[in-house]
Each structure stands twice: as C-alpha cells, then as structure tokens.
Amino acid sequence: MSTAANTREPERTAARRFFVETWGCQMNERDSQRLTGALMEEGLLPTREPAEADVILLNSCSVREKAEQKVYSRLGRYRRLKSDRPGLVIGLCGCVAQEAGERALSRVPDLDFVLGPGRVAEIREALERRRKGERPVLTGFPAERDYAFDSISRESSFKGMVTIVEGCDKNCTFCIVPQTRGPERSRGMAEILDEVRHLVDFGFSEIELLGQTVNHWRQPGGEEDFADLLNAVARTPGVARLRFVTSYPRDFTDRMVEQFGRHPNICPALHLPVQSGSDPVLQRMGRGYSADAYRELARRLKATRPGVALSTDIIVGFPGETEEDFALTLQLLEELEFAQVFAFTYSPRPGTAAPRLGGDVEPEEAAERLQRLFALQEPIQRRLNEALVGEHVEVVVTGLGKRPGMLTGRTSCHRVVHFEPDPSLVSGLGSSTVPLKAGRLTSVVVRQAYAHSLLAEPIARVA
Ligand code: SAH
Ligand code: F3S
C-alpha cells in the first residue's frame, strides 16, 4: 500500500463491504462486473445486504423516464442508511450518472460521487477523491478506453460477456443511449479473441458478444466486419454456445446471415428490435429501414436457421402513431411470430428529437394499445412453445428453481425451462445432495408449455 494509506482515517481502512445494484441492459450488467472486480481488487468484499455495505453503487438506466425516477427514490432509501453508518459511501453509476452529472449531487445531498459509463475504469479514483473530501463527478468519454478484462468479476460461472462495440452512433429519435454511452467504438479483433480464449480457459462455455449495435462492429483501421468476427469467435475451440446482442436490422448483411447459418454453436436465437410495423413511424424514429425490409431479413434468417427464435423490441404510442400504424405493428407480430417481444410505451427523453415531432399519443391510449399487443402476443408465444412439447432439448443450468428440488435453465434458443434433475445425473456428480451445477449442460424432454417458460423432465439416460 502507498504512503497515502497513512493519511487515511482509521475507520476507512475498515471499510470492507460493497453492494452493487444493477438496472438496465447487458452493457450495465457487464459494467457492474467491472466495478465489482475493481472493488474486490481493492480488498472489499461483496454483500447482498445494502445495510451491511460501506460502499453502495447504483448502476442506473435512463432509457425510459420511469427507470430514472426509480433511481432517485432508491438513492433516497440508501442515504437513510447513512444515519446508522456515517462512513457509508454512495456512488451513482450508469446512464443516469452520465446524463445528470452535477445535477445528481444537488438533487441528492448525501450522494458521494457520480461515475458515468465511459469512466467505469476510474472507480478507484472516484473513491480516492471522495476519501480526500471531494464529491467527484466523472462523466464523458475519454479517447482511450481501458478494458482490463482479467479483473472483471464474472457473475455467472458459465456465461462470459464480451463487449465488442461501445456507444452508439445511430441517433434513433427516441433514444437517449447515444448521449449516455457516447460515440460508437469497436474493439480490436485480437483483443476480443484474447478475452474469449481467456474465458474458455477459465471454463466459461457460453460467450455473449455485446454492443448497442453489435453487428455494426468493424475492425479499427481494417477491413473485417462482424461476419468475420462471428466466424473467428465461433471457431474458437471451447466456445459451446455463442450469442450476440443487440443486432441492428439495417446492419445485418448477407455474409452475417450466412455465418449465422453455418456454425452450430451460434445459438439459434436472435434479438432484432423492429420498434414498429409502420413505415411512416419507422421513418420518424430514424431507423433507416422499412417494415418490408425487416420482414425480408427475418425470412432469410428463418430460412438459414430453421427453428430460430427471433425476439424483438416494440415502442407503442410513438408521437404520431395512428390506430392504422399500430394495426400494422400487430400485423407484423402476427406474421413473424416472435418467440419473445419486449414492448414499452414511448417515453420522451431529454436531448432527443422525438419530443419535438408533435402528434403525441395520450398515455391512456398508449397503455391500452400495449395491452392489446400483449393480448395478441401471448397466445403466439404459447403456441410456439407448445410445438416443443415432446421434444428433447439441451439446457444450460442457470440456477435453482422456484420450488425445492427444481432447477431452472435455458435452451440454446434462450427459452426458460423448469425441470427436476435426473437423480442418476445428480448422484453421478458424486453425492445425491449435490444438484447439477449452474453452467452444466443437460438434456430434458419438454412436457408442458406456457407463454413464458417450459416445464420439462430429464431424459432417462442410456448407458
Ligand atoms: N440497441 C439497444 C437499444 C437500447 S434501448 C438494445 O437493444 O439493447 C432498448 C430498447 O428500449 C429499444 O430497443 C427500445 O425499444 C426501447 N426504448 C428506447 N428508448 C425508448 C423510449 N424513449 N421510450 C420507450 N422505449 C424506449
Ligand atoms: Fe438507441 Fe437506436 Fe442506438 S435504439 S442504442 S440509438 S440503435
């Protein structure tokens, strides 16, 4: 430890526990893993109990207004813990940190520091400056980014998330992400493959490539694009399952479709946000594709990879959305039969173009459309899941089930499966009390289907 340690207040050296709460997308999840890794390297230990923590980090999301409001009420709850723990340090991280900056400090008097998504690598500096009595605000996007992937604390024992593209240059008119995550930057292929090999060496079987527009990856200063990267990662020995989120429809090329069809270890699941089924709405959103171009891409993907589970995002009640526009969205959902749909009512965000478009849809109307959308989608999902009844599927165990003795897992197409482990498999692991561990692959037969999950039984094992 450096000489600076001598000047620290004694109680600080006893600050041993931290709690990180994460909201929002996979990028935030991955940033929390980096924050956790850095704090553990500093000698702090994680706790699941905020009341026990000496450092609390809230890794926030600002994509919709509701999520942002929740941040402030949660911070209010954390600051009340300070009356029992005067040394408690509370940091606001994530997209609300970037967006609010100094404002967050005046709004939350006991907030100790603000750390934006572009500055995650500087968590130690933030804590150090706080120790010296400052309330630092670290936001913005430095030109040099530090990935330090060997000090990431991977939460899962089998799924390793690998950032390949940071930020976003698309400027969809509703979206705050380009402001909160900064301009798009691709990481070099050599470094990405190094991280993938590092994960495989440590026993991770599932690799998830991350980016707001993951398929817009380009080799910095080179020719290779996402099709080449996908090919290289899929060929890396030990990569049993490969996923990537989130793909931007307009950036999906024929070469990418081809790679998607070629490698069996690329999971037959693809998240491809469409947002709306109406061309005028898509145009006002600035998405740069038509509903028909999206349909065509979806058809090609389904033809290349039969059984692929497509999922999508929809925004309902975007400014100017008429009943006819909305009917076109419902029609698209009926036609394309998505395995999963993440739908939200439009939420105006500061600094974006959409709030100035006019033609606002009444919140009650938008909420009612959202309900109609769910009512249409639920039976579609149930029907797709019912087609799997009787099928043998391979699941990766993700954790314990809701009921005692049950486990939960995911199929390669990302469906949630609840099942009782095969007793022979359990005892095969050495003890009848040891359940199948998270990260293990096992085969099950689907017995019942619901809209959002499957119920399965183990397959009696031959030999
Ligand atoms: N490329 C990113 C997009 C991040 S935002 C990704 O898909 O991970 C995730 C989703 O949130 C978007 O696809 C969109 O459907 C929704 N969303 C973004 N801004 C929104 C807003 N202002 N109101 C409602 N939903 C929004
Ligand atoms: Fe947002 Fe559009 Fe980028 S949804 S993250 S601006 S692709």
Side-chain angles (χ1 to χ4, degrees):
M1 210 175 254
S2 74
T3 49
N6 300 332
T7 60
R8 286 180 197 164
E9 314 136 45
E11 96 205 33
R12 283 284 106 233
T13 54
R16 299 276 70 142
R17 301 228 167 233
F18 69 93
F19 175 78
V20 181
E21 179 163 353
T22 313
W23 293 351
C25 63
Q26 281 97 339
M27 327 293 151
N28 261 14
E29 254 180 68
R30 160 66 208 227
D31 284 347
S32 286
Q33 295 180 359
R34 295 186 62 187
L35 293 164
T36 298
L39 293 177
M40 286 171 70
E41 281 182 353
E42 288 291 285
L44 280 87
L45 296 173
T47 173
R48 288 175 196 277
E49 196 39 72
E52 276 182 6
D54 300 282
V55 175
I56 295 181
L57 302 180
L58 179 56
N59 198 0
S60 58
C61 171
S62 62
V63 80
R64 282 169 288 272
E65 197 186 356
K66 245 193 206 138
E68 186 170 336
Q69 284 164 351
K70 269 182 13 196
V71 165
Y72 288 104
S73 62
R74 187 56 57 103
L75 286 175
R77 194 188 303 173
Y78 288 151
R79 58 184 276 246
R80 285 195 288 280
L81 296 173
K82 284 199 176 190
S83 51
D84 288 333
R85 297 179 82 79
L88 172 63
V89 171
I90 303 174
L92 174 62
C93 308
C95 290
V96 177
Q98 172 59 34
E99 199 208 337
E102 295 277 349
R103 271 185 292 124
L105 290 186
S106 37
R107 190 159 166 186
V108 187
D110 291 329
L111 184 61
D112 294 287
F113 66 86
V114 175
L115 184 76
R119 309 288 291 271
V120 167
E122 290 164 72
I123 177 67
R124 289 184 187 83
E125 284 84 342
L127 288 169
E128 188 58 38
R129 284 172 60 182
R130 180 61 198 139
R131 250 176 241 131
K132 290 180 179 154
E134 286 179 56
R135 293 172 83 202
V137 175
L138 301 173
T139 52
F141 304 92
E144 284 297 314
R145 309 246 176 124
D146 169 9
Y147 292 99
F149 59 77
D150 50 356
S151 55
I152 295 170
S153 166
R154 315 273 174 180
E155 234 120 79
S156 148
S157 55
F158 63 95
K159 187 176 88 172
M161 298 170 138
V162 179
T163 304
I164 66 162
V165 185
E166 287 194 309
C168 182
D169 283 344
K170 289 285 194 284
N171 286 313
C172 300
T173 56
F174 51 81
C175 186
I176 200 169
V177 171
Q179 293 170 63
T180 59
R181 293 214 157 248
E184 184 188 284
R185 282 172 61 122
S186 291
R187 264 173 99 188
M189 186 187 282
E191 195 189 39
I192 294 168
L193 293 176
D194 262 0
E195 185 169 350
V196 170
R197 282 190 290 262
H198 165 92
L199 288 167
V200 169
D201 284 349
F202 276 86
F204 289 83
S205 52
E206 187 168 320
I207 301 293
E208 187 168 56
L209 305 177
L210 297 185
Q212 297 293 347
T213 49
V214 75
N215 58 333
H216 201 241
W217 180 87
R218 293 276 184 288
Q219 169 72 347
E223 294 292 309
E224 292 94 343
D225 71 4
F226 183 67
D228 303 301
L229 182 70
L230 203 54
N231 185 34
V233 177
R235 284 168 182 273
T236 304
V239 175
R241 284 187 175 187
L242 174 58
R243 312 178 181 281
F244 47 98
V245 281
T246 298
S247 298
Y248 195 74
R250 199 183 63 202
D251 293 330
F252 224 104
T253 63
D254 287 348
R255 286 181 67 233
M256 292 173 202
V257 175
E258 196 188 309
Q259 291 300 337
F260 187 68
R262 172 181 294 174
H263 299 280
N265 58 345
I266 299 180
C267 293
L270 190 73
H271 188 58
L272 200 61
V274 63
Q275 314 297 359
S276 168
S278 151
D279 287 344
V281 173
L282 287 170
Q283 213 162 24
R284 283 199 302 280
M285 288 177 166
R287 295 288 290 181
Y289 55 82
S290 64
D292 277 348
Y294 183 96
R295 278 187 180 88
E296 178 51 32
L297 174 59
R299 280 196 196 106
R300 265 187 297 147
L301 286 162
K302 285 182 178 187
T304 311
R305 200 76 197 262
V308 61
L310 288 184
S311 56
T312 201
D313 291 345
I314 301 278
I315 295 179
V316 170
F318 186 75
E321 184 189 75
T322 61
E323 188 52 42
E324 290 71 40
D325 292 320
F326 178 62
L328 289 170
T329 298
L330 294 184
Q331 191 186 324
L332 186 102
L333 295 188
E334 248 178 325
E335 267 173 52
L336 294 182
E337 301 195 307
F338 291 100
Q340 224 179 342
V341 174
F342 301 90
F344 299 94
T345 54
Y346 167 70
S347 164
R349 306 310 293 129
T352 59
R356 293 191 303 272
L357 290 173
D360 288 6
V361 176
E362 288 300 319
E364 300 73 31
E365 177 66 34
E368 193 262 336
R369 285 182 192 169
L370 189 65
Q371 288 316 311
R372 277 157 62 201
L373 185 151
F374 288 141
L376 175 91
Q377 179 60 24
E378 283 251 340
I380 295 177
Q381 283 180 206
R382 198 173 317 120
R383 211 166 51 237
L384 290 176
N385 285 347
E386 272 162 7
L388 294 172
V389 171
E391 297 270 315
H392 290 193
V393 293
E394 190 187 56
V395 297
V396 61
V397 180
T398 52
L400 297 175
K402 280 187 197 137
R403 273 186 279 139
M406 297 278 284
L407 294 179
T408 300
R410 290 255 187 186
T411 65
S412 64
C413 54
H414 224 43
R415 289 181 165 93
V416 174
V417 185
H418 302 287
F419 64 102
E420 263 173 50
D422 178 347
S424 72
L425 262 183
V426 174
S427 55
L429 290 173
S431 152
S432 57
T433 57
V434 178
L436 269 173
K437 285 209 316 219
R440 277 182 185 265
L441 292 171
T442 185
S443 290
V444 295
V445 55
V446 179
R447 289 297 178 214
Q448 266 189 64
Y450 308 97
H452 300 281
S453 64
L454 302 169
L455 191 67
E457 281 173 9
I459 295 168
R461 300 211 336 148
V462 190

